[in-house]
Amino acid sequence: MLIARLIADPAALETRLDAAVDALAAADMRVAMARMLDFCSDVMEIALPEGDPAALRRILDEHFSPSDLLVSQAEIQVPHLFVSDMDSTMIGQECIDELADFAGLKDRVSDITERAMRGELDFVSALNERVGLLGGLDEDAIRQCLGDRITAVPGARTLVATLKARGCRTVLVTGGFHHFADPVGEMLGFDRVVGNRLGVADGNLTGGLDGAIVDSSVKEAVLRGEMGELGDSAISLATGDGANDIPMLQAASYGLAYRAKPKARAASDGWIDRGDLTAILSLLGIPQSEWVNG
């Protein structure tokens, strides 16, 4: 069975649904049921006895874009584990780009970041190059950057708080830095934070990193390790936006791309393109009356 939950423009929903059902039938995927959820009235659930998840996502995207979507091969449940990327997912910025602005290098660093997130550059090499450019920067710039520029994405606090209220373990895992991730994780209520550590000596950045690098393989390993602790029947949710999030998104029961780069979006079970992060709660079937303000 395939289950799709979708949030789209309500004004054109019925017309677009008819066209989507026809397109699915032409692709040999018969829709058994389509209904609005009683407990999340803006969410449409579409059920098919069989079919290809990627083809279902593609057809729904063609007919309902922009939308928020989750496709599953089983009944959708509230997850036991939530693992998320940080930059441009839980917060609205790329921390290294904002920090580079204090060194007068934002344009140069931002270009490398964008290409890395699109999967055009090797993540580790791109990270080392950008960190190297920050060598000599006063550590106080991190505190100023964090206080002045780093903001939570709309809905992030509510998403984390509501999942935790349902017994879900929450982990923030980032290719960014503990200088930012630790206070962000505390602000948003995450149970655990995993990230890279900037090298610091005599109050200045060294231009290097301390310890092992958190890359795409580590993000995936964190999710799988947490799942190993929870047991085989546990359900996991992962969110991210860049190419380095893909293995983690694919390893999760539900991988959702948030305002993501094309490669990450294409590799995911769905996406959030229309609403804020609370749309995830609706797609999971948690009514707004049960949301917890973070």
Side-chain angles (χ1 to χ4, degrees), residues 68 88 240-241 257-261 271-277:
D68 303 325
S88 298
D241 73 300
Y258 177 76
R259 308 292 169 95
K261 304 297 186 291
W271 45 77
I272 305 299
D273 286 348
R274 186 172 182 270
D276 64 27
L277 283 174

Side-chain angles (χ1 to χ4, degrees), residues 189-211:
F190 278 89
D191 296 313
R192 178 188 177 193
V193 175
V194 180
N196 293 304
R197 295 193 180 277
L198 288 166
V200 179
D202 300 323
N204 297 308
L205 301 189
T206 64
L209 293 168
D210 285 343

Side-chain angles (χ1 to χ4, degrees), residues 34 36 60 62 71 95 97 172 198 202 225 235 245 261 263-264 268 280 287:
M36 305 303 293
L60 294 179
E62 288 173 354
V71 171
C95 289
D97 295 356
L172 186 67
L198 288 166
D202 300 323
I235 302 296
D245 296 314
K261 304 297 186 291
K263 286 185 178 180
S268 299
I280 295 175

Side-chain angles (χ1 to χ4, degrees), residues 76-113:
I76 294 173
Q77 304 176 53
V78 176
H80 304 91
L81 171 69
F82 173 46
V83 180
S84 181
D85 175 45
M86 181 177 72
D87 293 9
S88 298
T89 304
M90 287 289 122
I91 60 173
Q93 299 76 32
E94 293 286 335
C95 289
I96 195 168
D97 295 356
E98 299 304 320
L99 191 57
D101 199 23
F102 286 82
L105 296 168
K106 185 172 183 177
D107 289 346
R108 183 175 175 185
V109 170
S110 295
D111 178 66
I112 299 171
T113 300

Side-chain angles (χ1 to χ4, degrees), residues 49-233:
E50 57 186 1
D52 174 46
L56 176 58
R57 293 194 301 269
R58 175 180 56 78
I59 291 171
L60 294 179
D61 194 22
E62 288 173 354
H63 287 84
F64 292 100
S65 182
S67 68
D68 303 325
L69 175 72
L70 174 60
V71 171
S72 173
Q73 297 186 65
E75 180 184 354
I76 294 173
Q77 304 176 53
V78 176
H80 304 91
L81 171 69
F82 173 46
V83 180
S84 181
D85 175 45
M86 181 177 72
D87 293 9
S88 298
T89 304
M90 287 289 122
I91 60 173
Q93 299 76 32
E94 293 286 335
C95 289
I96 195 168
D97 295 356
E98 299 304 320
L99 191 57
D101 199 23
F102 286 82
L105 296 168
K106 185 172 183 177
D107 289 346
R108 183 175 175 185
V109 170
S110 295
D111 178 66
I112 299 171
T113 300
E114 178 70 13
R115 292 176 64 196
M117 292 303 98
R118 289 184 174 275
E120 298 170 3
L121 298 175
D122 173 70
F123 176 80
V124 173
S125 298
L127 178 64
N128 283 325
E129 181 179 358
R130 288 174 291 164
V131 171
L133 292 170
L134 299 179
L137 188 65
D138 193 313
E139 190 179 14
D140 285 340
I142 297 174
R143 288 184 280 273
Q144 185 178 347
C145 181
L146 181 63
D148 294 349
R149 303 195 180 188
I150 304 306
T151 56
V153 163
R157 289 182 175 89
T158 300
L159 172 62
V160 175
T162 303
L163 290 177
K164 288 182 68 174
R166 294 293 187 106
C168 181
R169 178 164 169 78
T170 58
V171 180
L172 186 67
V173 57
T174 176
F177 314 114
H178 274 283
H179 279 87
F180 293 95
D182 288 345
V184 167
E186 182 177 359
M187 172 182 68
L188 298 180
F190 278 89
D191 296 313
R192 178 188 177 193
V193 175
V194 180
N196 293 304
R197 295 193 180 277
L198 288 166
V200 179
D202 300 323
N204 297 308
L205 301 189
T206 64
L209 293 168
D210 285 343
I213 290 177
V214 176
D215 60 6
S216 61
S217 65
V218 173
K219 289 188 171 191
E220 179 187 2
V222 167
L223 185 143
R224 292 191 183 278
E226 291 279 350
M227 285 295 291
E229 295 292 322
L230 293 172
D232 294 339
S233 61

